[in-house]
Structure formats: C-alpha cells, structure tokens
Amino acid sequence: MRRTIDFLLHDWLQVESLTHRERFKDHSPETFSAVLDTCERVAREVFAPVNRIVDVEEPRMNPDGSVWLPEAAYTTAVAYRDTGMIAATQDYEYGGLQMPSVIETAANAFFATAGIGLGGGAMLTTGSANLILAHGSATQKDLFARHLLSGRWCGTMCLSETQAGSSLSDIVTRALRDGEGSDADPFGPRYRLHGNKMWISNGEHNLTENIVHLVLAKIPGPDGRLIAGVRGISLFIVPKRLIDADAQLTGEHNDVALAGLNHKCGYRGMPNTLLNFGEGRHAVRGAPGAVGYLVGEPGQGLSYMFHMMNEARIAVGLGAASIGYAGFAASLDYARNRRQGRPIGAAGKDPLSPPVRLIEHADVRRMLLAQKTYVEGSLALVLYAARLVDEVRTGEGAAASEAHRLLEVLTPVVKSWPSQYCVEANSHAIQIHGGYGYTRDFPVEQYWRDNRLNMIHEGAHAIHGLDLLGRKVRVDQGAGLALFARQVAKTANSSTAYPALADYGRALEAALRRLLAATAAAWSVPDPEIALANATPYLEAFGHVTIAWLWLDLAVVAMQKLDGASETAASHLRGLLQATAYFYGYELPKIDAWLAVAAARTPTCLEMQDEWY
Amino acid sequence: MRRTIDFLLHDWLQVESLTHRERFKDHSPETFSAVLDTCERVAREVFAPVNRIVDVEEPRMNPDGSVWLPEAAYTTAVAYRDTGMIAATQDYEYGGLQMPSVIETAANAFFATAGIGLGGGAMLTTGSANLILAHGSATQKDLFARHLLSGRWCGTMCLSETQAGSSLSDIVTRALRDGEGSDADPFGPRYRLHGNKMWISNGEHNLTENIVHLVLAKIPGPDGRLIAGVRGISLFIVPKRLIDADAQLTGEHNDVALAGLNHKCGYRGMPNTLLNFGEGRHAVRGAPGAVGYLVGEPGQGLSYMFHMMNEARIAVGLGAASIGYAGFAASLDYARNRRQGRPIGAAGKDPLSPPVRLIEHADVRRMLLAQKTYVEGSLALVLYAARLVDEVRTGEGAAASEAHRLLEVLTPVVKSWPSQYCVEANSHAIQIHGGYGYTRDFPVEQYWRDNRLNMIHEGAHAIHGLDLLGRKVRVDQGAGLALFARQVAKTANSSTAYPALADYGRALEAALRRLLAATAAAWSVPDPEIALANATPYLEAFGHVTIAWLWLDLAVVAMQKLDGASETAASHLRGLLQATAYFYGYELPKIDAWLAVAAARTPTCLEMQDEWY
C-alpha cells in the first residue's frame, strides 16, 4: 500500500509543490514521509493485531449505563492520539502541525486499512473540533476545540433521530432557553435540550474523561411550536460532563444518558449509540434537560454541518477504499501462496503435475485486477479530493474557487463510488479464498461486513445521486460539470502522446460525451421527479467515468516514468497500465446501460405501484 | 411468496399435467396444494421464529468432541422430518410420496426462506440417500438409504480436504482393504479409511442416533501408491456408529472424529466440520481406520457424485433465491410502513407536509424492482430446472433426452446466477432499511451474510463459467446450446402476439444472437486457455439472457391472464409485467460489456503478471 500511496502523492499529485506555500512552509517531502512512516508503523503494530478482537468482542452496555469496550479500543485510541494526527491539519495555535489534508488523508489510510473504527473515533473528534473552529465563539474554540484537538476529549455528531435519518428536517429534539443562564455565559447562550438521538458513533464510552456532543436541535418559536424544515435547526455543544471556565470537570454529569447500543453487522470497533437528552436521569441543578451551548446563530445548524460534509464524505470514501485495500492485500497474498488446481489446456492434463498457485488461474487474476482497479482507483479519487481541499484552503485566486467547484461536483462520487465498489472488491477477496474466506480464520469476511456500512452512513447512497444530478451538475449553469469535463478532456488529450493509451483516450472522450448528453437529456423536461427518476444509475455512470479518467491520468504518469525505471519500479508501473486496460475493457463499457435509462428518463420505477409488487 | 409460487407452478409450468403420468397418478392439484400448505405453515411457525437464534448461538465444540447446537436445531429437524419431505420424491417402496421434483423444490422454498440451514440438513440426507439408491447394492439401499429417508439418520457428503476443494482429483484420503472382511460382507466390500475431510456440513451432531457419511477416498494400487487424478477416486459409506445387519447400532463408534468446526460468516444453523477418519481415537476392534463400505465400482466415486450434482446445484440455486426472497419481503414490508422524507418537486417543498412512505421514493422502488426481478427470476429458473428433472425421470422418448440436454446447459446458471444476484438483492434490502438494516434488530443483514456462501459451495462461481463455456455449450457439437437457443427463440416469437411485449421479444432475439456470436468467437481459437479466459463474464451474460428469457415467458402468461382477471390478480400480473420492463430496461443491456470481452478473448487477465500487482 505504501508504494501505491507514494506513487499517488509524489508522482501523480506532486505534493512537494505544496511545501512552497506559506501554510506548509515548515514541511518537506521528508516530513511527509516521516508522518507516513509513523502511521504505517502504528497501524501495523497496534491496530492490525486487534482488528478481529473488536469484531468478536463487540461493545456492551454495563448495568450502570456505561459502555464496555475491549482493551484494544483503549490501546488504539491512545496510540492514535500519540501520533498527533487528531490535530494534524490544524493551525500551530491549536496544537496542530499545519499538515496538508492530502497527507493527513494518506496517513489515515494506514489506520483504516489495519482496523476501521479503531483509534477512539478520532476522525469524529477532528470533525467536531473543525466545526467549532469554523463557527464557534472564541471561548468555545478555546474551551472545547482545543481539548478535542489535544485528544483529551472525544467529539460526536448528533444529527439523526429514530424518525429522521435521511430527512433531518424532521428532527424534534427541542432546545429551550435556560432560565438560569445569560448571554454573557462564557460558553455561549445556554439551553436545555430534550430529545432522543440515534446512530451516534462513539456516543458513550470511557476512552476519555469527557465527550463533547455536537447536537442538532430546534428552538421553539414564541408559541412553543417547532419551526418546520431545515431553517429551524440550530447547533449546540453538549458536553457529557459539565466543565468550568478553566475546562476542568465540575463533577456534574450532564442530562445525557445512554439509551442503548446498536448491534451492527460490522464496523464494531466503534460503539454506535442511542442517546437520550434531557430524560432527567442526570438532572442538572435539579432541573431536567441537557445543558447545551448554542454555536453561532440560531437556525444555522444544518448549514454549519454541511460545511463539514465534504470532508466527512471524503473520510467515508477513504474508509471504504482502505477496507477494500485490506481485502485486496489479503487475497493477493493468499492467491500467491495457496496451490489449487491446474492450468487449463494441455499443461494441466497431467494429474501428477503439482497444483499451481491460485494466481495462475485467469479468473483469479480477473478478481485481483478488479480489486486493484476498485481500491486503487478509490484511493486515487480520495486523495485527489483531499488535494482539492488543500487547494480550496491555500490556493490563490481562481485556483481556490475552481478547486471548490470541482470538489462540490466530485463529493457525491467520492462518498458513493468507493462505498459501493470496495464492498464488491471485498466480496472478490472472499471468493478468492474459497470456503476459507467465509470463515473467521481469515480476515476478509470481516472486511466485507465492515465495509457495507459505508453505503449507508454520511448520506445513504441514493441521496448522493440526487445531490449530483439534482444539484451539483446544475448549479451556476452547470459550471461545475463543465469544469469536470475540461479536466477529463485534458487527461484524454494528454494520453494521445502515448500510442498505447490512445484507445483509452478516445473511449474516455466518448464516455464523457455520453455522460454530458445524458445529463442534458435527463433535464430536457421541467419536472424534477422525472428528471431524477434514474439518479442512482446516473451516479454509477458518473462514478465510472470519473474513475476511468483517474486511471488514464495515472497511466499517463506511468508511461512517463517507465523509461529508465528500475525493474521493481517498472513492474509496478506495468501493473498500473494493466489495471487501466482492465478498467477500460471490463468496467467503463458498463456505463452505456446506466446512461441509457438516465437519458431516456425511463419511467419504470416511477410508475411501479405499491400493490403490484 | 405463495402467490408467486402458485403462479409459477400452475399458470406457468402447468404442473397439473404431471398428474397424468403413471408415477404421479395419485397426485392432484389438491395434493400439491396440501403439501405447500403444510410446508408454508411449518416454515412460518417453527423455522422463522428461530432463524436469528441459530445465527447468534452458533455451533460449538463440546469438550468431549461432540457438537453443541441450540434447541432450535433440534425442533426444526423434527418438524421437517415430520412433514415427510425427506423422502418426498422417492418411490413408495422407500417410504416416499412419489411427488414431482418441481413440487418438492417449491415446498422447500418456504423452509429456505424462513431459515436457511435449519431442518437438520435434510437436503443432504435426501441427496445421500439418492446416491445410495442410484449406485449402492440392494443391502446398502435397504440398510442405509431406507433409514436416511425415514429421517432416522442424517447423511453427509465428504468430498473436500484442506488441500483439495475445487480440485478434488488431489484428495489423499486412503481406503485400505480391511483384512477382517470379505466380499460377502452384507454391507459391501469393507475398507479402512484414513484421511481428513474439510467443509463437511452437518458432519457431527446429535440430531439423530447415527450419521451416514458418504466419503470420497482413493484405494492405493498394488505398489501402495494412490492413482493420480479423478480416476482413482472411489465412494464409501462410513457410518458414524457401526450397525448390524438389522440396522441396529452395535454400540461401536467408528473411527471418525470431529477435528474442529468452521466459524462461518453466516449460514450458521448447520454446523460445518473438519472430520478425521482413522486417526485412532475410536479404533474399531483394536485397529485404527474408519470402517467404510465401497459403493458400486472402485474408481467411479466422482462420476457417481456428479450424477447427483445437478440436483445439488438446483438446491443451492433454490437456497439463494429463497434467502433473496426473504430479504425482498422484509424490505417491501419496511418500505410500505416506514415514513421518511418527502417527494421530489413541488409536492415535497412543504416541510409541514407529513413524510411519505419509503416506497413512494423512485429509488426505493428501483431497489424493490431489482430485488423482484432477481429473486422471482431466480425462483422461476430453479423451478424450471426442477421441472426438467421431472421430465428427465418421467418424460417419454425425446422429451426426456431433450430435458436432460437442456438441464445440462442450464445447471451452471441455476447454481451461479441466483447465488450472485440474490446476494445483491439482499444488499438492496439492507439499503432500503438504512442504518436499521445494518443491525441485528432487523433480519436483512443476516440474509445477506447467509446468502454469501452460495457463490462458494457446490462448485465455486468461476468453476461454473468454465463448465458452461468449456463444456456445456460445446458437447455434442453444441446441441445443448442449440436447444437452449430454440427455447429462447420460441418465447421471443410467442411474445410477438402482444404489442406491449414486442420490444422485449426483439431485444431478447438480439441478445441471443450476440450470445451465440460470442460463444463462436471465443472458440474461434484452438487454445482453451485463451477461449476460456473470460468464462466468468460469459457466465454472467448467459445468466442474464436466461433470466430475460424467463421473464418474457412469464410476461406472455401474464398478458394471457390479464383479460378478465380480478383486481387483485391483475395487480400481481401488472407487477410481473413491470418487472419484465425493469429487467429489459436496466439489466439485459449489461450483457454487452460482458460479451464484448468474451468475444474479443480480451487477454488482459491472462497477461497480468504476479509481480505487477
């Protein structure tokens, strides 16, 4: 994996150019490598050995309402904290390393590959801190964000409720102005929250002395009613244990209680909880209601959350790609060592000949190539997106705004394509192992289960199709889509310098034309219900075109490097070229079936009636 | 499910015509219904309520080497036995009901839907008995097959070894002529077996007083060496406990010992074991070696097994289709009752409007339609194949031989297509449930795990692609393929009577042409390694053409029945037509990508080198 990541970072994304920017001026290729070295080592030595343990010993609820976690949850949380990665991209002022997002993302790939969900929910903690830094008051930053970033406390995101998952506008958690407080409260305007939150990752544990919940809730109007829709939603900081102005625990438990644990099919290293806010079990100063502090302006909660969404979705794509990579590596190793069967044809007719290694069978190679294109293509996509995040933050003038525009278009793909195809990759990894892959004696069945979550959280799969076809390719008169198309065309054009790649360049251009035509055809009617009836097949096609584009871009670099490469390096580059051949031969042609229904606005699903099933 | 099965059996396959045949003359549509009624009821009342229990409480090895199973394993085994289904298709002489295979298969769908792997491994027991009835001596039939069919004992199939799964020719279990015995032994020529068997379903338990293992082993030549390849393999009956000539236990335990249990990702209702034969723990009469009785002729073991393979593979397809159906039913129910989100477009803009049911979202309908086409298409395929089995057994003259020929071609598809696409269906069922689907609070994640086994056992997926493109479409100068093509063309032709179906008929004919052309193109070179390099994509395309054919055949029947149908019946028929529209709009076009590589003999996978990954 390191070789792939180094190629992507240095040969392809040319990350050393970032070190010339003011924000990253203390960095160098050497500091980048040192970070990757450390993370790779900690992941291998601390995370990987306990990945099965946290699967088998899933979180339990203790009689006192706390959460039991295996020892491995603690050791990996401490190990991750000690790498300094929680605050890696932050300002020096907040204890950060001012590291580029693309390096942070690459470094986190090692942890996600070794054990998804381990490390104490650090990415959630980073995300919570980012949210407070972006929208909180100076005091909130200093009291909450700082201690999240140091790893002293963990953070959570409390959005969903049992009746409101994909539909956050329907949340009913209430936030009532707390009579005791005043606007001068150093933590911000004080409220009491009442409601139940569902699907809260890391919502309760004793990994750290405190947990900082970021909670979406509605402030009732003067008539006591909740404002319907997203405009009524505000964001609150709700610490599990109350703190004083010096960030010390006051000894008071906030009115937040664990209502239950979700027993997941996989991804068990991190507890997933139902939390009750304000049920009175831990009434604060005699009154029920969880004490919470408003962040920013009332009614802006969801828009604040959405600011963080791009990065959260890159993190999901990264998790999916990394678990995919873990399965690829395991099945490649198995295929290289396990002997079974004989070659097809004359060579295999002699039963006295020794069995060959699995990797010598064409179909095993196919399953390995499919995995390679899925997981390395996903990794390329995720790192490309993280590089865009750096450009948004540190690029100059048009570069930053262009990067933002492209990132907006790509985000639905970054979240959804790896989530879908890296589960498929994990299924191939099982298949290569045969019956062994279906047992707990090998890691691949766990990867497959772990990875299945990624199509569900951070916006269920279909949501991203609607986001892409319904918004992202249309905003600003399709400027984002046009920018995407220019990037794709640029790669197709640069591939013409290499005769070996010319067919792929033409295929990519043709695919892009069909994609653009399908986009226009879908929207050739005014009714969005009809235009969007096949948004998911459209998403699949868009994803395949995106990955085809990236593979060709990698292939161009591979061709550039092939001359004069060492034998080892040349083998790796030839593998990239063969993977490109695979993707263009076996995968890209699939877009026709998906685009056909999107372009024709095929009404089959829309017209299906409940009673016909 | 019952409505679908009734439609398939009566309206489509017209099973009542079977009752005019001598073998089935005591049967009638009423006896068929009575069997289905009973099985549906027992499955619902006894199997379904314990399906999660056997998943959570997986089989364990007791300190004494026996297997602990939850109570549910016992109650479902007894309930299944009491239905009389173990011997359903057998002769009256063996306690059977002389039921058509197609009815038996349909009845078993209820059990597999309610809980795969429950019922005491009855299908294995039936299969073992069939094998003995087909190839055993009169005494073996009377002593072993009879008590398997009564449900007194269970049967197993012991083929694989740790080093030999897909490659059975490499087994090394040895069978040595037992000095004490004589050819006059009533049980058949006696041998002592030494070796280790892997992946033995139901290999050890106390569900019944005895277990009858059917074991593949090699008889060494005069020089003591094993004959290489499949010709050296013989078949033996190895009872767990020895019996006397009256089929009573002698009190002696055979030298068969449980070496371990495989901890599976799913399908946990049935223990899966490693068995040691002849390790000496239970030495019989002072000598190590498991006592086994030769079935039929030496060296014929694998060919005997293959006689049973078509039916075993139909059973796998049935299991896959049934688990798929379970997920479809669960997610349809959930989508009908769960409210979340609002419609796209003007109607959904008002946040005060109540959320709509999930089923009102186009993408949820898409995932339900996809499931419907996968699981009902699979069920149609499996029942069609079972109907061919009946034709092989009871058809007259050319009808029987044609049925055999068609069944041979279809068997790889019957095994592999449901196994692949019904896992996909189960994944859609999870997705419709959102986060809930990923938890143990709902059954769908278990279905997805349970179903994943089906692509692995009874021949791993790729084996069937090689079987199909390498043998089945080529034997007898392609007579089987030609017969398949005639059946497909017949359906396409009959669809022309209905203008609403005409497009599908043309699409099916075009797909068939491309399939036949790709078959020829693949074999336009002499080297089988090149011809078969894309056998798996070919298998996928062949499967999709097959399912498209069956859906159009169902649609023709639906059109015939639509005139004058009751409102309820008409709704069901319209659902079949909409599913046909879905399959032709969204699925059949996918074959182009698969057939392109098969026809072009794309060498990408074949040429990939180990060191390039």
Side-chain angles (χ1 to χ4, degrees), chain A residues 172-450:
Chain A
V172 294
T173 295
R174 306 166 75 89
L176 306 174
R177 197 71 174 86
D178 191 1
E180 295 176 62
S182 82
D183 286 335
D185 189 314
F187 304 113
R190 194 160 79 219
Y191 286 77
R192 292 289 190 127
L193 275 69
H194 303 262
N196 311 308
K197 290 290 178 179
M198 182 63 166
W199 308 120
I200 311 308
S201 286
N202 238 20
E204 175 54 31
H205 57 72
N206 287 306
L207 296 173
T208 48
E209 65 166 24
N210 207 358
I211 301 174
V212 178
H213 302 292
L214 288 179
V215 185
L216 293 183
K218 290 185 174 181
I219 302 169
D223 59 355
R225 294 171 62 177
L226 299 181
I227 299 171
V230 299
R231 285 177 316 120
I233 299 175
S234 303
L235 178 66
F236 300 88
I237 295 171
V238 183
K240 170 182 165 184
R241 294 188 169 92
L242 297 180
I243 62 167
D244 64 21
D246 298 318
Q248 298 304 311
L249 303 190
T250 64
E252 294 165 293
H253 198 295
N254 205 347
D255 197 2
V256 183
L258 180 68
L261 290 170
N262 290 305
H263 298 289
K264 290 177 290 181
C265 171
Y267 220 112
R268 291 178 180 159
M270 193 185 292
N272 188 280
T273 62
L274 293 84
L275 296 179
N276 287 350
F277 291 82
E279 68 169 25
R281 200 189 307 180
H282 303 290
V284 179
R285 289 158 223 163
V291 173
Y293 309 104
L294 181 69
V295 177
E297 298 297 316
Q300 294 300 311
L302 205 60
S303 73
Y304 295 161
M305 277 286 175
F306 272 109
H307 280 175
M308 295 293 115
M309 224 49 125
N310 282 349
E311 283 163 70
R313 288 173 174 173
I314 292 173
V316 171
L318 175 71
S322 301
I323 306 171
Y325 205 97
F328 173 48
S331 60
L332 179 58
D333 182 60
Y334 190 79
R336 280 174 168 158
N337 290 295
R338 165 85 170 170
R339 289 184 175 274
Q340 179 113 190
R342 287 172 185 75
I344 289 166
K349 292 253 186 278
D350 176 10
L352 286 173
S353 65
V356 298
R357 297 177 309 144
L358 284 180
I359 203 170
E360 301 187 41
H361 298 293
D363 197 65
V364 173
R365 291 186 197 172
R366 180 187 66 85
M367 290 190 281
L368 289 169
L369 267 173
Q371 287 183 75
K372 184 176 172 75
T373 61
Y374 295 162
V375 306
E376 295 185 357
S378 292
L379 208 48
L381 174 64
V382 166
L383 293 179
Y384 186 89
R387 179 65 187 77
L388 290 177
V389 169
D390 287 320
E391 200 60 31
V392 171
R393 287 191 189 144
T394 65
E396 295 194 350
S401 60
E402 284 217 337
H404 176 73
R405 189 163 266 171
L406 189 55
L407 185 59
E408 286 287 304
V409 174
L410 286 179
T411 296
V413 177
V414 174
K415 158 62 171 71
S416 62
W417 201 89
S419 299
Q420 181 174 9
Y421 284 93
C422 294
V423 178
E424 186 67 19
N426 289 146
S427 184
H428 284 317
I430 293 175
Q431 195 67 24
I432 288 173
H433 283 75
Y436 292 98
Y438 194 69
T439 71
R440 287 203 292 277
D441 294 335
F442 287 82
V444 288
E445 63 85 28
Q446 182 186 348
Y447 298 145
W448 180 66
R449 287 185 287 108
D450 288 351

Side-chain angles (χ1 to χ4, degrees), chain A residues 535-546:
Chain A
T536 305
Y538 178 86
L539 174 69
E540 294 219 32
F542 201 108
H544 261 52
V545 173
T546 303

Side-chain angles (χ1 to χ4, degrees), chain A residues 500-512:
Chain A
L501 306 181
D503 280 352
Y504 308 144
R506 277 190 291 273
L508 182 61
E509 279 178 343
L512 177 65

Side-chain angles (χ1 to χ4, degrees), chain A residues 490-510:
Chain A
K490 197 189 290 177
T491 296
N493 190 48
S494 72
S495 73
T496 57
Y498 303 95
L501 306 181
D503 280 352
Y504 308 144
R506 277 190 291 273
L508 182 61
E509 279 178 343

Side-chain angles (χ1 to χ4, degrees), chain A residues 362-363 365-367 369-370 373-374 421 428 504 544 548 578-592 594, chain B residues 530-538 540 590-608:
Chain A
D363 197 65
R365 291 186 197 172
R366 180 187 66 85
M367 290 190 281
L369 267 173
T373 61
Y374 295 162
Y421 284 93
H428 284 317
Y504 308 144
H544 261 52
Q578 200 74 359
T580 308
Y582 181 86
F583 204 83
Y584 278 79
Y586 290 74
E587 292 290 337
L588 186 58
K590 293 180 182 173
I591 67 169
D592 291 343
W594 297 318
Chain B
I530 294 170
L532 295 173
N534 294 293
T536 306
Y538 178 85
E540 294 220 33
K590 293 180 181 173
I591 66 168
D592 291 343
W594 296 317
L595 289 179
V597 292
R601 304 175 304 280
T602 304
T604 308
C605 303
L606 213 51
E607 290 173 2
M608 181 69 182

